[in-house]
Amino acid sequence: MNRKTLSTAVAAALGTLSTASWGQDIPVPVVQQPEIEEVYVLGEFIPDEKRDTSEISNVMDEEDLSALGETSVGISLQRVTGLSLVGGKYVYVRGLGERYSSTLLNASRISSPVPFQKTIPLDIVPNQIVSSLLVQKTYSAQYPGDFSGGVVDIRTKSTPDEDFFNFKLGTGGNSETTGGDGLTYAGGGADNWGWDDGTREQPKNIVNISSEEFEATDEIQKRGLGDSFYNNWDVYVKDMKPDFSGEFELGKRIDFDGDMALGVIGAMKYSNSYDNRIEEVARYEFSGTGDNSGTQTVDYDQFTTKQSIDFSGFLTVGFEFDLDNSVSLTYVQLRQTEDELEQTRGDSSEDDVTDGTYVESYRLQWTENEISSLQLSGEHFFNSLNEAQLNWRLVDGRATRDEPDTRTYTYAENRDGMDEIVTPNRQAAGDLRDVFQAPERSYSYLDDDIQDMGVDFELPTNLGSVDVIFKAGAGFYERTRESESRLFRFDLSSRAPSYIALMTPQQLWDTPNWAEGYLTVRDFSAGAANASGIFPFAESGEEVGSYYAAFDAQVHPRVRLQGGVRQEEVTLTADAWGGNTEQGTTNFVEQDYTDTLPSLSLTWEFLDNMQVRLAYSETVNRPSLLEITGTTIRNPEDANLYRGNVFLQPAQLENYDFRWEWYFGDADSMSLGAFAKDFQNPIELAKVQAQNDVYTWFNADSAELRGIEYDISKDLYFGEWFGLSPAWDAFTVQANVSWIDSEVTLLGDGETAVDVPLTGGRNVAQFNANTRPITGQSDWLGNVMLMYRDYSGKITATLAYNYTGERTVLVGSRNAPDVIEQGRGRLDALFRYGLNAFDQEMQIEFKAGNLLDAEVEWLQGGNLYERYKPGISYSVGLRATF
């Protein structure tokens, strides 16, 4: 709605309310009545966006985010009905994994630096830059058609209404980490700022030669190449420091004559945090004899220390030409660096851990993730066209992931009871489970670029007595992803004395041993490609041209009908090469699709404060670029190997939704909804036959998902109800619960595992059962939050509980059951107090997270698979506003 019309309508409405309240005979100009009626009919003058929208959605604004006290978008979203947070980073909508959801930034796509995810890790997005979060659970034509669970639209802040400046400093810790011992290694001088200073780069004399040239080098020269790597393998103990964060935000508005205005908002945030994880790890061999307990082959204690450095910047410049025309330029820079050291100790065996060998394994990994997005957009109203609206956007985005010098190695107890390095030439690593086969150093880099442009047009009009808004739009989206990696494998030569294998890593890889010829090194990039399908080079791309038409009609004062259709023309390409595989040959794939996607929703306000919604849509779920790239890559989240499948096809979905809503107070509401989704060719996980340590994706036969959602928000007037002080009237309770059930049919009638096409002519391993829940889907989700906010605004306190039910995290095979993450709850608390000091407004904030310290536990066939306690987190912060 045009701001002039909206302002006039609001003024008229307030005038009417004032007349009714005070009984004053103040006439309201008749000429304004049509505008008031228009606002009512179109449903515009409703303060709750959740109620106003024609779709089933949830919205969190700045006030909601402030009350939660969370630092990132991901943690905040888990409070929304039907949403769960996995790994602290990825949002699952209605139990469906992140592959079924879309994350947008101001209605535009955003690059992801994570190779396994279609969307960005939401722990990298600070709440500081967000004006509101929209979670839309039913599809509408203005959004991308690759929509299954829902869309999360992160709306950043825009032109400020007034000048402001604030900053915040904070510190905190964790009960499992702060003040205790952690693990570290010799890194670079700028590690605490999240940038590698070159310490982890490949030696220049190696960068300048190819893998083939490296392998062709004679033995003497190769020793020199091996010795040129920085010798920093050893692990040390360090004291774990408290976490620290600092942020600032400023806004400036300059008003000119003629309703022109210039606005600027800038923000920056830095945080440095530490986390220790002490985890029990077990693995099993299942015989298939009917005994589901399995034989344990691995019994490990895993100690991981991770330092996370987050750095984010945000700048938006907006110019309002007048009340009807504005443009804005928004730049977002998000950076997250993780320095992780993992130590694994315990017994390992190929057959039975009771006769196992003691091993110690180490992984040293530095990862820099960076996301940038530059968006130019405009908003224009046309009074001569009945307040028509035109919005346009141009987006240039990029994400990079740099993993320089990841080091892995294992020591195992030999026959003499002494620990020696595990290498293919010294010890049969094949007799051990879940160890590193040889000392290795790897270097990988990923670059993800997007260009997105689009235009949307809305035209309000009348068709007889029906007020309707016609909508149309078009867009073009292009994404390219390139990755390359290099792997070096180290070993002991046949001339090395036996005592060399007993040295510590720093001693072992020192210059004298290279000079004596006791050590060897290979550029294993080509060898890994030939032997295991781990290709060092990969490229993939996606192009989507789209256009849509839609309408939003108030067909009756109490009935609203919205519908539309979107067409997308899609091209997906992918390739992986290296070793004996040439570019553009075996692994090259190109897929073209044309998808026509209809949507329809009906809202019936059968009482003044009560309405129901019905919605139907058809959408698609396309494979990610990684999933159709025919290479094998290790997932940094779970350390398992995954292989892309060049034969993957998109899944087709039909979506059905119903929701009843009751708005029974100024801020009170309740809703009850049901939803159903039917899938054809859903994309699911499986293991590769004869390579049960490798996962892949394939098109299952069909799937269905059903669920029920309930939520309520109620102000609690304890003072009014029980004759107490008015201060007791400032409580609010919010609660929601979701029950979700799903079933995937893996193979159709008459099909077997042999009929499933996979990259390289492989077959999927036989399934444990032909039906199972959708991977990642939780059966129960729930939230309860009690909030106190006094009328002076000085005190805010919240107590929030979140529960996520059990879900399948890893699929099994013929004899091995699926791995199930058990349900767990989380209780968080926030207290914020406002005061005036030094003539400035300030806030002191205390937060505590995971107060119940519930264990994270994975089970396989009822046996322990992994278990750890995340610890209780706590922090204190001081914010000043100027």
Side-chain angles (χ1 to χ4, degrees):
M1 173 173 289
N2 182 306
R3 297 177 194 174
K4 293 178 180 177
T5 305
L6 179 60
S7 301
T8 306
V10 170
L14 291 176
T16 304
L17 290 174
S18 177
T19 303
S21 301
W22 301 100
Q24 297 175 354
D25 189 14
I26 301 176
V28 179
V30 176
V31 293
Q32 296 180 358
Q33 291 179 358
E35 294 183 358
I36 300 174
E37 183 179 356
E38 182 180 351
V39 171
Y40 170 76
V41 171
L42 291 178
E44 293 288 352
F45 188 53
I46 302 176
D48 189 339
E49 185 178 352
K50 169 186 170 183
R51 182 179 181 181
D52 178 39
T53 180
S54 59
E55 307 301 330
I56 295 177
S57 63
N58 294 88
V59 179
M60 300 181 73
D61 57 21
E62 286 186 70
E63 186 177 1
D64 297 324
L65 297 173
S66 175
L68 290 171
E70 307 293 3
T71 57
S72 72
V73 166
I75 301 177
S76 300
L77 283 172
Q78 72 177 343
R79 308 295 180 186
V80 175
T81 308
L83 270 64
S84 58
L85 185 68
V86 176
K89 299 181 178 184
Y90 305 106
V91 167
Y92 284 30
V93 181
R94 288 177 165 175
L96 292 171
E98 61 81 30
R99 63 161 297 104
Y100 291 101
S101 302
S102 301
T103 300
L104 306 178
L105 184 70
N106 298 324
S108 297
R109 313 257 193 165
I110 184 169
S111 295
S112 174
V114 184
F116 279 79
Q117 273 68 38
K118 297 173 69 174
T119 60
I120 64 171
L122 292 176
D123 64 332
I124 200 173
V125 184
N127 281 345
Q128 177 196 29
I129 71 172
V130 178
S131 65
S132 67
L133 299 172
L134 169 69
V135 180
Q136 186 167 308
K137 301 174 184 176
T138 56
Y139 177 67
S140 55
Q142 73 268 28
Y143 284 120
D146 193 1
F147 176 110
S148 308
V151 62
V152 176
D153 192 0
I154 304 169
R155 300 154 165 179
T156 59
K157 296 177 180 178
S158 57
T159 306
D161 293 326
E162 58 184 13
D163 298 349
F164 67 89
F165 174 75
N166 60 64
F167 72 87
K168 180 181 178 182
L169 298 175
T171 186
N174 181 279
S175 62
E176 295 286 325
T177 306
T178 311
D181 291 335
L183 301 176
T184 189
Y185 62 95
D191 284 5
N192 284 330
W193 292 102
W195 272 270
D196 177 57
D197 63 359
T199 299
R200 300 172 178 85
E201 291 181 356
Q202 293 183 56
K204 292 183 179 179
N205 58 335
I206 294 177
V207 171
N208 294 329
I209 60 176
S210 67
S211 298
E212 291 75 15
E213 291 171 334
F214 187 102
E215 286 297 278
T217 304
D218 63 49
E219 180 186 351
I220 300 298
Q221 290 179 310
K222 194 171 287 186
R223 290 185 206 171
L225 293 175
D227 191 32
S228 65
F229 287 94
Y230 185 51
N231 189 15
N232 56 351
W233 298 76
D234 278 2
V235 174
Y236 310 98
V237 176
K238 70 172 181 179
D239 295 329
M240 301 303 289
K241 301 175 183 178
D243 301 339
F244 171 79
S245 65
E247 62 184 71
F248 75 85
E249 183 180 14
L250 58 86
K252 178 67 177 178
R253 181 181 179 92
I254 304 173
D255 289 300
F256 304 98
D257 294 336
D259 295 324
M260 287 194 299
L262 174 69
V264 179
I265 293 180
M268 188 173 292
K269 181 177 181 179
Y270 167 84
S271 67
N272 191 341
S273 62
Y274 301 87
D275 179 60
N276 278 344
R277 177 181 293 183
I278 304 170
E279 191 166 3
E280 300 173 66
V281 177
R283 298 293 184 265
Y284 305 88
E285 181 71 21
F286 294 88
S287 63
T289 60
D291 181 7
N292 203 37
S293 61
T295 301
Q296 188 171 351
T297 58
V298 164
D299 185 10
Y300 288 157
D301 290 322
Q302 192 173 86
F303 191 137
T304 305
T305 296
K306 181 167 68 174
Q307 181 183 9
S308 300
I309 304 101
D310 291 3
F311 189 89
S312 62
F314 170 77
L315 178 67
T316 183
V317 180
F319 188 79
E320 298 176 359
F321 296 94
D322 51 39
L323 294 178
D324 296 325
N325 297 278
S326 64
V327 297
S328 64
L329 181 67
T330 301
Y331 179 72
V332 178
Q333 179 86 17
L334 307 173
R335 183 179 176 87
Q336 183 180 72
T337 299
E338 294 182 343
D339 190 10
E340 191 169 4
L341 199 159
E342 178 184 275
Q343 175 195 69
T344 303
R345 293 174 170 176
D347 296 326
S348 174
S349 171
E350 181 70 15
D351 302 312
D352 193 328
V353 75
T354 57
D355 299 321
T357 300
Y358 178 79
V359 299
E360 287 190 20
S361 296
Y362 294 87
R363 175 174 58 87
L364 290 67
Q365 182 171 318
W366 172 275
T367 305
E368 298 179 15
N369 291 320
E370 188 168 323
I371 300 171
S372 61
S373 177
L374 181 64
Q375 183 179 75
L376 178 66
S377 60
E379 184 179 77
H380 310 277
F381 293 91
F382 301 93
N383 296 323
S384 60
L385 292 177
N386 200 27
E387 311 298 348
Q389 181 176 352
L390 175 70
N391 296 331
W392 55 269
R393 62 189 181 277
L394 300 171
V395 180
D396 182 51
R398 186 185 187 197
T400 60
R401 181 182 182 90
D402 190 12
E403 290 184 32
D405 202 10
T406 296
R407 283 141 284 169
T408 55
Y409 59 94
T410 297
Y411 279 79
E413 191 177 88
N414 61 18
R415 293 187 180 90
D416 299 323
M418 304 181 72
D419 291 344
E420 68 176 27
I421 193 77
V422 171
T423 71
N425 290 338
R426 300 289 302 184
Q427 181 160 345
D431 294 338
L432 304 172
R433 292 284 185 96
D434 288 82
V435 300
F436 299 113
Q437 304 292 313
E440 293 180 341
R441 304 179 86 138
S442 64
Y443 302 80
S444 63
Y445 185 80
L446 180 148
D447 193 319
D448 188 297
D449 294 290
I450 67 166
Q451 284 75 45
D452 189 4
M453 60 188 71
V455 59
D456 302 284
F457 182 71
E458 296 184 5
L459 177 64
T461 187
N462 304 97
L463 297 179
S465 61
V466 177
D467 294 299
V468 60
I469 300 176
F470 289 107
K471 304 177 182 181
F476 178 77
Y477 161 72
E478 181 179 17
R479 181 178 187 177
T480 57
R481 174 175 280 193
E482 299 178 359
S483 64
E484 60 179 272
S485 61
R486 202 164 183 183
L487 175 65
F488 299 93
R489 176 167 287 186
F490 298 81
D491 204 345
L492 276 64
S493 70
S494 57
R495 73 183 72 172
S498 59
Y499 70 87
I500 296 294
L502 305 178
M503 291 181 171
T504 67
Q506 210 84 354
Q507 297 169 337
L508 177 62
W509 309 113
D510 205 4
T511 300
N513 288 336
W514 287 106
E516 294 293 334
Y518 297 157
L519 308 175
T520 65
V521 61
R522 288 188 60 193
D523 187 326
F524 202 62
S525 307
N530 297 332
S532 305
I534 304 176
F535 295 97
F537 304 102
E539 288 183 357
S540 53
E542 179 180 15
E543 291 186 5
V544 181
S546 62
Y547 50 90
Y548 72 90
F551 67 90
D552 189 351
Q554 198 79 31
V555 297
H556 182 274
R558 293 188 179 274
V559 179
R560 183 178 180 181
L561 183 66
Q562 186 271 348
V565 62
R566 182 183 184 91
Q567 181 156 313
E568 294 187 338
E569 298 176 355
V570 182
T571 298
L572 299 178
T573 59
D575 196 11
W577 67 93
N580 296 330
T581 302
E582 297 292 331
Q583 184 177 5
T585 58
T586 307
N587 292 322
F588 179 76
V589 59
E590 180 173 338
Q591 300 176 355
D592 295 298
Y593 309 100
T594 298
D595 297 311
T596 302
L597 308 170
S599 61
L600 185 68
S601 67
L602 175 72
T603 303
W604 176 29
E605 189 181 15
F606 58 93
L607 295 176
D608 287 343
N609 59 357
M610 202 174 291
Q611 61 188 24
V612 295
R613 302 179 188 270
L614 296 169
Y616 169 81
S617 63
E618 296 177 10
T619 56
V620 295
N621 181 233
R622 303 186 186 102
S624 71
L625 295 181
L626 174 71
E627 291 169 351
I628 61 169
T629 303
T631 188
T632 303
I633 186 172
R634 190 174 298 278
N635 188 338
E637 302 292 336
D638 62 19
N640 290 305
L641 290 170
Y642 291 77
R643 179 172 299 155
N645 185 0
V646 298
F647 298 102
L648 276 182
Q649 298 293 317
Q652 309 293 327
L653 287 87
E654 290 186 291
N655 311 283
Y656 307 85
D657 287 271
F658 164 83
R659 187 162 77 178
W660 164 81
E661 300 170 359
W662 181 22
Y663 299 87
F664 54 93
D666 292 339
D668 302 336
S669 65
M670 180 189 302
S671 69
L672 177 65
F675 57 88
K677 296 178 181 291
D678 293 327
F679 299 72
Q680 292 298 320
N681 299 320
I683 299 173
E684 278 287 306
L685 275 175
K687 288 188 172 182
V688 179
Q689 187 178 22
Q691 293 182 318
N692 275 346
D693 58 343
V694 179
Y695 292 87
T696 190
W697 296 271
F698 76 105
N699 288 109
D701 180 67
S702 62
E704 61 179 32
L705 180 139
R706 306 288 185 264
I708 298 173
E709 298 175 335
Y710 172 80
D711 72 76
I712 184 172
S713 178
K714 179 73 177 76
D715 288 340
L716 304 176
Y717 300 102
F718 292 126
E720 179 182 332
W721 296 340
F722 302 107
L724 304 175
S725 164
W728 286 90
D729 290 334
F731 286 92
T732 299
V733 63
Q734 297 177 356
N736 59 68
V737 63
S738 301
W739 172 81
I740 306 169
D741 182 62
S742 69
E743 182 178 272
V744 179
T745 301
L746 301 175
L747 298 173
D749 293 339
E751 285 186 320
T752 67
V754 179
D755 299 317
V756 177
L758 293 184
T759 300
R762 296 277 185 174
N763 295 321
V764 296
Q766 295 188 31
F767 302 117
N768 182 262
N770 196 43
T771 59
R772 68 181 184 217
I774 293 176
T775 306
Q777 175 251 310
S778 295
D779 51 357
W780 287 96
L781 301 169
N783 290 282
V784 178
M785 184 173 73
L786 179 65
M787 179 174 61
Y788 178 84
R789 201 179 273 167
D790 75 334
Y791 294 122
S792 68
K794 288 186 176 181
I795 298 176
T796 299
T798 59
L799 192 64
Y801 178 78
N802 170 263
Y803 178 79
T804 302
E806 68 175 34
R807 65 187 187 94
T808 300
V809 290
L810 293 172
V811 299
S813 54
R814 178 179 182 179
N815 299 325
D818 297 337
V819 178
I820 308 297
E821 181 178 357
Q822 301 302 291
R824 62 185 293 266
R826 175 187 172 98
L827 182 65
D828 301 329
L830 163 74
F831 178 81
R832 188 181 293 127
Y833 181 75
L835 68 160
N836 201 302
F838 308 106
D839 295 326
Q840 301 296 336
E841 294 182 10
M842 294 190 178
Q843 283 185 337
I844 300 176
E845 181 181 272
F846 301 92
K847 291 193 297 183
N850 195 37
L851 288 168
L852 303 178
D853 199 13
E855 292 181 330
V856 176
E857 186 176 55
W858 294 8
L859 301 179
Q860 185 177 31
N863 304 312
L864 175 66
Y865 192 85
E866 294 181 7
R867 178 169 56 208
Y868 68 93
K869 280 193 171 184
I872 301 171
S873 61
Y874 49 88
S875 66
V876 59
L878 175 66
R879 178 186 295 273
T881 301
F882 299 90

